[in-house]
Amino acid sequence: MINKISRTLNRRKVYHKVSGKVIMTRRTKVLIPKINKDIAYLSGVIVGDGSMSCLKRKKGGYHYVISICAGTKEYLLYLNELFNTHFNYTGKIYKDKRHQVYNLDIPVASIFFYFKIIIFNNKKTWKKSLPLSIKGRKNYLKEYIAGLSDTDGSINKVNKIIIK
């Protein structure tokens, strides 16, 4: 798992070192966890109200950012706590004044590629299909759907869950 991320970071020319279950870049030291219920929940949230962006830098290279949008700051604090628990990284929460919502930004290449490669299998259509790493496991599938329904879901009058 860490080898896949390390090879991708090498191809993208991102400076990093691997030490056990930790990937260190110039600015961050990130723990790479095994897939569990919280990671499945976070991946559902990223698919629902998140984005994974690769932005070109002015001086060369790229910024790799995971952004999650929510209506309340408390929910993003909970998600930030999950990122801190499993990846040993705390993201930045800020208020988007244009749309009256809050955003959580995780600008770390190793976390970006963890979700892109390990969870979403490096697919271009990662928002349209169920990740293979979660597909065969019932407990993880429930948490993935919980994350998806917390962000893009609603319950109608006859108690059916609707996901946009």
Side-chain angles (χ1 to χ4, degrees):
M1 181 163 55
I2 291 179
N3 293 334
K4 285 183 179 180
I5 297 170
S6 182
R7 282 193 303 265
T8 304
L9 290 173
N10 279 334
R11 277 195 307 260
R12 299 290 181 120
K13 298 179 181 172
V14 176
Y15 172 80
H16 70 284
K17 289 183 182 178
V18 177
S19 174
K21 294 182 179 182
V22 175
I23 293 181
M24 295 175 279
T25 59
R26 285 190 173 98
R27 295 183 181 161
T28 60
K29 185 177 179 181
V30 175
L31 178 69
I32 301 299
K34 291 184 178 182
I35 299 171
N36 58 34
K37 290 181 179 182
D38 290 338
I39 300 298
Y41 180 81
L42 283 172
S43 60
V45 169
I46 290 171
V47 169
D49 275 346
S51 67
M52 295 175 61
S53 306
C54 178
L55 309 168
K56 192 163 177 74
R57 291 178 160 190
K58 290 180 183 177
K59 295 183 179 181
Y62 293 91
H63 291 287
Y64 302 100
V65 182
I66 295 175
S67 296
I68 301 170
C69 179
T72 63
K73 189 175 183 178
E74 291 77 22
Y75 183 63
L76 292 180
L77 288 171
Y78 168 70
L79 295 178
N80 211 0
E81 186 178 311
L82 289 178
F83 275 108
N84 191 16
T85 302
H86 295 288
F87 293 100
N88 197 23
Y89 184 81
T90 304
K92 296 178 184 176
I93 298 174
Y94 63 93
K95 186 172 184 176
D96 186 354
K97 295 177 183 173
R98 295 174 296 163
H99 300 102
Q100 300 300 319
V101 294
Y102 292 92
N103 289 324
L104 168 65
D105 280 352
I106 310 287
V108 180
S110 48
I111 297 175
F112 176 90
F113 286 115
Y114 174 82
F115 281 100
K116 184 167 178 72
I117 294 167
I118 304 301
I119 303 296
F120 300 120
N121 302 316
N122 208 10
K123 290 185 177 180
K124 289 183 180 179
T125 58
W126 61 275
K127 281 202 169 203
K128 295 180 181 179
S129 62
L130 188 64
L132 292 175
S133 57
I134 294 172
K135 199 172 197 175
R137 304 171 179 169
K138 286 185 179 180
N139 293 337
Y140 298 160
L141 182 62
K142 289 178 186 177
E143 293 297 322
Y144 176 81
I145 291 173
L148 191 58
S149 65
D150 282 352
T151 54
D152 277 349
S154 62
I155 299 176
N156 66 3
K157 294 178 184 177
V158 289
N159 292 331
K160 290 186 181 179
I161 297 175
I162 300 170
I163 297 176
K164 297 178 189 175

